[in-house]
Amino acid sequence: MSVAHKTTPRTPHDIDVSQLPDYSFESRSPLWWGIVGLMTVEGTVVATLIASFFYLQGNHAVWPPSGTTPPDLMLPILSTFVLMLSMVPVYLTDRAFKRGNAKPLATLPILSIALALVFLGIKAYEYALHVDFRWDSHAYGSMVWLMIGFHSTHVIAVILKTLVVIILARQGYFTPDKRIAVTVNGLYWYFVAAAWIPLFMTIYLGSRIWNE
Amino acid sequence: MSMHPPHSSAIPDPAYDAETRQLEQTWASPPGFFAWFTHVNQTNIGMRFIVTGFVFFLLGVILALLMRWQLAVPENTVMGPELYNQIFSMHGITMMFLFAIPVMEGVAVYIIPLMLGTRDMTFPRLNAFGYWIYLIAGIMMYIALFLNIAPDAGWFSYPPLAGAAFSPGLGLDFYTTVITFMEISALVAAIELIATIFKCKVPGMSLNRMPIFVWSILVMSFMIVFALPPLVIASLMLALDRMAGMQFFTAASGDPVLWQHLFWFFGHPEVYIIFIPALGMISSIIITFTQRPIFGYIPIVLSIVSIGFIGFGLWVHHMFTAGLPQLGANFFTASSAMIAIPSGVQIFCWIATLWGSKPRMDTPMLYVMGFFLIFIIGGLSGVMVASVPFDMQAHDTYFVVAHFHYVLVGGALFPLIGGVHYWYPKFTGRMMSERLGKWTFWVTFIGFNLTFFPMHQLGLQGMPRRVYTYIDGLGWNQLNLFVSLSAVILALGFVMTLLNALISLKRGKSAGDNPWNADTLEWATSSPPPSYNFRHIRIVDSRYPLWSGTGGLEQNAVVHGIRSDRREILLTSILESHPEARQPLPGPSPWPFWLAVAVALTFAGMMLHLAIPLIGFLLCFAAITGWIWPRSGRAAA
């Protein structure tokens, strides 16, 4: 159609979009929908892991299987607290940027990364020295180690991703119209942190409530 | 395979103005072998998905013929049980994973942006990435087959048979690792289709004016987002069972039935993931070939959406013989029956649309008619196997083989072949031969029924499926020979379709923009579409924009101000499609290919050593960084 009618005169109903911005934020941005889609996919994985955990529990008279003690609560509560805290600098950075202040972007997320590294450190210490089962000991061990491995991989990934954001910020890449990239990185950080809560409850509380 | 810009004729065209030249230059895909790995335009990628999907389909057909060769006579020695197991497993893996999902996505990727009236999808590079993942996965599976180490525990790979103890060797390692990363391809395509359908509808195309095919792809995409992650994680768990000594599905501590739940929680929605796009194709074809608005647009859309929901409540009917509690089985029998309601609503809406019309009985419409008959037979045998007592008897027999081929071939493949005939003029600019098409339809239709209908009888006589041979004297000889000979007729039908498509590429009648006088926007541009899809973006004022009363789309207002000196699309609001912003898009890039290689290495590397995924993880990170790193001040999207 179109090519043959290049000379179509402008009608009064034509619209001109050249004045519209060439960037968009939040649910107006495709990137936002993309990250929501990714979080939905990964959230479904988390739900599948948790469902599998309780399904396998149903097959066992005692859970964790006898001879295995569920992991201690002290360290994981501490590490969960650290991980939740790591969301705060991410939130503050995004809020400042929304108000037009891009400065914290080059520094503040480093704090989040540091906290996430502490979280990983505690996890490594806990699982290297303080659990009395391996991933191949029994189904319980396999489930717990897979959940920990799955989540830790995501923490490492979001740390690396945030590092890239910081480097780009230091190069002055983030002008206000590019804020959506920072927002979705923040969203993903919240997701990785929030996904830990149901995993934490499953691993540490789900291992106890039905057996005592 | 790549689509060339259509305006290469030597005749000077007054419409070939400066802006058109600018658009062509901006949206061009660079030529050359190495540049081929960088293409991102949706029409290129969509066509690659479709062509690759049909190549795998033909491979799957060859595997089916090999099986029928082996089964033609009792105690045949064409192949031994080891090879037969690989071949029947690869037939299922090919048809479900390497053909059905990717080809439906391919059609969606090609057609959806055109139907929405936009110039590309929201994440073009993600599209390309999905294609490379799929291609690498498919090639890996077939390398395994040619090395005689293909998976041999069925496309469903139930442990404990698929576990390390009973299936040592690389076959199941290929299955678990490749399935794990291959599904990333479907997931990224689904997310991208959702984002594109939400944000890229042309102004005026509010949600209630969206073509039914777009609705069906939207529902398919949502189903993929929720159905495939359980498969991804389950196949990873099976891989870890096999390679790291973990115990998810072992009889010792884990539970093999857990695998069945996770697999069918994916596997049943999967049936609808390939069936729902087919429903959308049927609606498109019926609208066009009756030249009428569809009867009951809203009931049809609601039916598609409710099938999307109910489709998640059926998985256990694949597991009736696994010894589950009766109460659960009752629930799943009921929901299996319930899905007949929305399916029935659609069929009645189509009948009402056809009623009293004089449908143009061209090849696409014939395949829709073939769908009606075959799918209804498949539905009837479905009602039979949905009842637990009957299923107990029939489950491991050829009755079920007949049932699901009636459902899948009737429900998905026939509409798909109809859809290929329907959109072929848009893909290539030429018509497929109508005469050959009609002959082909009858050969395919008759060949299909002669092949699969007798299998009901074989099943009722007790012939077990997935077994490489049978002994003489059980009364199965004649029907098996008959089925094997009929399979040749069916395969001939597919080959005739292929020949028709290939010959028409050069010799077909020139199609023009809209050869069927169809109603949707993909027919409002040249055939094949230019790399930028539309020269003018025109506002839409009805559900059937090309038929609207004011004299068709030509009279409609134009959207000005979308830049042509860089790749740019218009973003609109979800419900009402008001213009909101312009979105610059990235151009050709090699990073999707490299990321796909890194992802494949990460997962397939598990087979060789469990440390390789760690290296792969870092390579993936490097590729993603290369991907998002801004170039010359351009936005990273």
Side-chain angles (χ1 to χ4, degrees):
Chain A
M1 57 126 200
S2 48
V3 176
H5 286 261
K6 179 257 151 189
T7 50
T8 309
R10 288 193 173 213
T11 74
H13 301 292
D14 282 10
I15 55 172
D16 188 346
V17 297
S18 60
Q19 299 309 310
L20 289 177
D22 65 351
Y23 50 88
S24 48
F25 297 132
E26 272 66 82
S27 68
R28 292 185 158 206
S29 159
L31 199 57
W32 189 89
W33 285 101
I35 210 77
V36 168
L38 178 66
M39 294 191 305
T40 312
V41 166
E42 305 223 48
T44 310
V45 171
V46 171
T48 308
L49 288 172
I50 293 171
S52 302
F53 180 94
F54 288 111
Y55 183 92
L56 290 168
Q57 178 190 38
N59 279 358
H60 287 74
V62 252
W63 184 259
S66 51
T68 301
T69 41
D72 271 342
L73 279 175
M74 235 353 255
L75 279 173
I77 287 175
L78 181 69
S79 66
T80 304
F81 183 69
V82 170
L83 189 64
M84 295 307 119
L85 210 58
S86 77
M87 290 196 270
V88 175
V90 173
Y91 171 75
L92 292 176
T93 312
D94 196 41
R95 197 181 64 166
F97 202 5
K98 273 179 188 159
R99 293 174 179 175
N101 179 11
K103 251 195 203 138
L105 199 50
T107 50
L108 211 47
I110 296 174
L111 203 56
S112 290
I113 291 178
L115 288 167
L117 287 173
V118 170
F119 170 83
L120 286 176
I122 298 175
K123 277 275 147 298
Y125 171 73
E126 183 188 353
Y127 279 82
L129 300 173
H130 281 266
V131 295
D132 63 352
F133 54 88
R134 281 164 47 102
W135 53 90
D136 54 1
S137 306
H138 38 54
Y140 174 82
S142 303
M143 261 341 295
V144 170
W145 277 87
L146 179 62
M147 288 174 170
I148 295 294
F150 173 82
H151 186 260
S152 301
T153 312
H154 280 74
V155 175
I156 296 170
V158 80
I159 287 174
L160 291 172
K161 208 168 158 244
T162 307
L163 269 178
V164 173
V165 170
I166 293 172
I167 293 169
L168 283 174
R170 298 202 161 194
Q171 295 182 350
Y173 170 73
F174 286 109
T175 46
D177 57 310
K178 298 196 178 77
R179 179 174 65 77
I180 187 65
V182 176
T183 303
V184 298
N185 190 58
L187 279 178
Y188 197 62
W189 190 290
Y190 302 151
F191 169 76
V192 170
W196 172 247
I197 294 173
L199 291 173
F200 166 84
M201 302 212 314
T202 305
I203 296 171
Y204 298 96
L205 307 182
S207 302
R208 293 164 199 276
I209 38 178
W210 274 287
N211 288 324
E212 291 175 11
Chain B
M1 202 183 317
S2 66
M3 310 305 294
H4 295 291
H7 307 296
S8 49
S9 65
I11 308 152
D13 182 345
Y16 193 59
D17 62 339
E19 180 153 9
T20 308
R21 266 196 301 276
Q22 177 72 66
L23 278 168
E24 257 173 33
Q25 200 184 345
T26 302
W27 289 88
S29 298
F33 177 74
F34 290 106
W36 194 77
F37 290 88
T38 67
H39 293 182
V40 293
N41 294 40
Q42 132 263 334
T43 42
N44 294 359
I45 303 297
M47 188 47 66
R48 286 181 198 181
F49 265 112
I50 295 170
V51 170
T52 312
F54 273 105
V55 168
F56 282 119
F57 172 72
L58 288 176
L59 290 170
V61 169
I62 291 170
L63 296 179
L65 288 176
L66 289 173
M67 280 190 278
R68 286 317 315 176
W69 188 9
Q70 164 69 15
L71 293 174
V73 292
E75 294 172 82
N76 204 352
T77 53
V78 175
M79 60 183 86
E82 295 86 5
L83 185 58
Y84 185 87
N85 289 351
Q86 290 185 30
I87 285 182
F88 94 73
S89 303
M90 281 298 290
H91 172 74
I93 290 166
T94 304
M95 291 307 197
M96 297 307 274
F97 291 124
L98 299 175
F99 166 62
I101 302 186
V103 85
M104 291 299 180
E105 279 174 1
V107 174
V109 163
Y110 194 105
I111 293 293
I112 289 293
L114 290 163
M115 270 195 180
L116 298 178
T118 183
R119 287 187 171 151
D120 206 324
M121 295 178 76
T122 46
F123 314 117
R125 291 179 297 184
L126 206 55
N127 248 344
F129 168 67
Y131 175 72
W132 294 120
I133 286 276
Y134 158 54
L135 184 67
I136 293 171
I139 289 174
M140 279 183 64
M141 292 308 288
Y142 269 84
I143 287 177
L145 181 62
F146 286 115
L147 295 177
N148 205 17
I149 49 167
D152 55 1
W155 82 286
F156 39 83
S157 289
Y158 281 0
L161 175 61
F166 298 102
S167 291
L170 280 174
L172 266 297
D173 291 347
F174 264 96
Y175 175 91
T176 51
T177 54
V178 172
I179 296 297
T180 302
F181 77 83
M182 178 163 66
E183 300 315 325
I184 295 171
S185 164
L187 287 165
V188 295
I191 290 173
E192 167 153 55
L193 283 163
I194 292 171
T196 302
I197 292 171
F198 277 179
K199 296 307 299 174
C200 299
K201 296 186 295 293
V202 73
M205 188 184 282
S206 47
L207 218 51
N208 59 337
R209 286 181 183 157
M210 221 161 67
I212 290 173
F213 182 69
V214 181
W215 274 107
S216 72
I217 295 300
L218 185 63
V219 172
M220 172 199 83
S221 303
F222 271 103
M223 291 191 79
I224 289 178
V225 163
F226 289 104
L228 263 56
L231 174 70
V232 171
I233 195 70
S235 62
L236 182 66
M237 285 154 80
L238 186 55
L240 291 169
D241 263 16
R242 294 177 56 83
M243 296 166 203
M246 290 170 99
Q247 310 227 28
F248 298 107
F249 309 122
T250 59
S253 172
D255 188 349
V257 179
L258 174 61
W259 166 268
Q260 296 189 23
H261 278 293
L262 296 178
F263 185 84
W264 290 114
F265 188 83
F266 145 79
H268 196 82
E270 147 92 347
V271 174
Y272 291 92
I273 285 167
I274 62 183
F275 176 51
I276 285 178
L279 296 178
M281 293 176 185
I282 293 167
S283 289
S284 290
I285 292 172
I286 286 182
I287 291 170
T288 298
F289 285 82
T290 56
Q291 293 285 303
R292 294 177 161 188
I294 193 96
F295 177 89
Y297 174 91
I298 291 172
I300 288 184
V301 169
L302 291 178
S303 300
I304 295 175
V305 174
S306 54
I307 288 175
F309 280 100
I310 303 172
F312 280 94
L314 305 177
W315 82 92
V316 172
H317 75 208
H318 296 264
M319 300 164 57
F320 281 161
T321 55
L324 299 172
Q326 291 295 311
L327 186 66
N330 288 347
F331 172 86
F332 286 94
T333 297
S335 59
S336 305
M338 187 160 77
I339 203 152
I341 297 171
S343 309
V345 167
Q346 284 195 80
I347 297 221
F348 282 114
C349 287
W350 290 327
I351 291 175
T353 310
L354 288 163
W355 197 272
S357 75
K358 288 207 170 62
R360 179 172 161 180
M361 277 297 170
D362 283 346
T363 315
M365 195 65 196
L366 281 179
Y367 278 98
V368 169
M369 292 296 167
F371 152 83
F372 276 119
L373 191 81
I374 295 176
F375 189 71
I376 285 171
I377 294 176
L380 289 176
S381 59
V383 173
M384 296 167 76
V385 290
S387 76
V388 180
F390 182 84
D391 187 67
M392 293 281 198
Q393 301 300 315
H395 191 82
D396 265 328
T397 72
Y398 267 83
F399 189 88
V400 170
V401 177
H403 161 68
F404 70 69
H405 281 88
Y406 264 85
V407 175
L408 291 170
V409 176
L413 186 62
F414 267 64
L416 176 69
I417 298 180
V420 167
H421 281 83
Y422 176 62
W423 280 304
Y424 186 88
K426 186 49 62 185
F427 295 152
T428 65
R430 292 180 186 276
M431 309 292 291
M432 285 174 81
S433 160
E434 196 52 47
R435 226 161 74 109
L436 184 53
K438 287 202 172 88
W439 275 101
T440 305
F441 167 76
W442 287 110
V443 172
T444 310
F445 180 78
I446 292 169
F448 173 82
N449 284 295
L450 293 182
T451 305
F452 288 101
F453 200 82
M455 286 187 190
H456 291 111
Q457 175 68 13
L458 277 172
L460 293 176
Q461 288 176 357
M463 180 166 168
R465 58 186 172 135
R466 307 180 194 124
V467 178
Y468 80 108
T469 193
Y470 51 96
I471 54 172
D472 200 1
L474 294 171
W476 304 337
N477 300 8
Q478 285 173 338
L479 273 182
N480 267 304
L481 185 61
F482 181 80
V483 165
S484 291
L485 293 175
S486 306
V488 177
I489 302 178
L490 177 58
L492 179 71
F494 294 140
V495 170
M496 284 164 71
T497 300
L498 175 72
L499 287 179
N500 194 350
L502 289 178
I503 294 171
S504 304
L505 212 52
K506 287 268 183 301
R507 310 245 315 256
K509 267 190 306 194
S510 185
D513 291 1
N514 189 3
W516 311 113
N517 190 25
D519 61 307
T520 37
L521 287 178
E522 78 270 27
W523 303 102
T525 186
S526 54
S527 309
S531 54
Y532 46 89
N533 287 356
F534 298 96
R535 167 68 177 79
H536 295 292
I537 308 288
R538 280 177 199 279
I539 295 172
V540 161
D541 57 4
S542 96
R543 211 173 263 167
Y544 309 94
L546 269 59
W547 294 350
S548 63
T550 52
L553 195 70
E554 293 293 291
Q555 306 301 315
N556 286 14
V558 174
V559 180
H560 298 279
I562 303 171
R563 278 170 66 171
S564 51
D565 57 342
R566 66 173 182 189
R567 294 183 181 218
E568 192 172 274
I569 55 174
L570 183 67
L571 300 181
T572 54
S573 61
I574 297 178
L575 293 178
E576 298 291 330
S577 293
H578 291 308
E580 283 181 345
R582 293 169 296 125
Q583 170 80 40
L585 291 182
S589 161
W591 290 109
F593 175 73
W594 291 121
L595 181 59
V597 171
V599 169
L601 190 74
T602 306
F603 287 98
M606 283 175 72
M607 276 189 276
L608 302 174
H609 194 281
L610 284 173
I612 294 181
L614 299 178
I615 304 166
F617 181 78
L618 294 175
L619 286 176
C620 288
F621 171 68
I624 291 172
T625 309
W627 178 320
I628 62 170
W629 204 259
R631 267 162 296 275
S632 62
R634 283 275 195 84

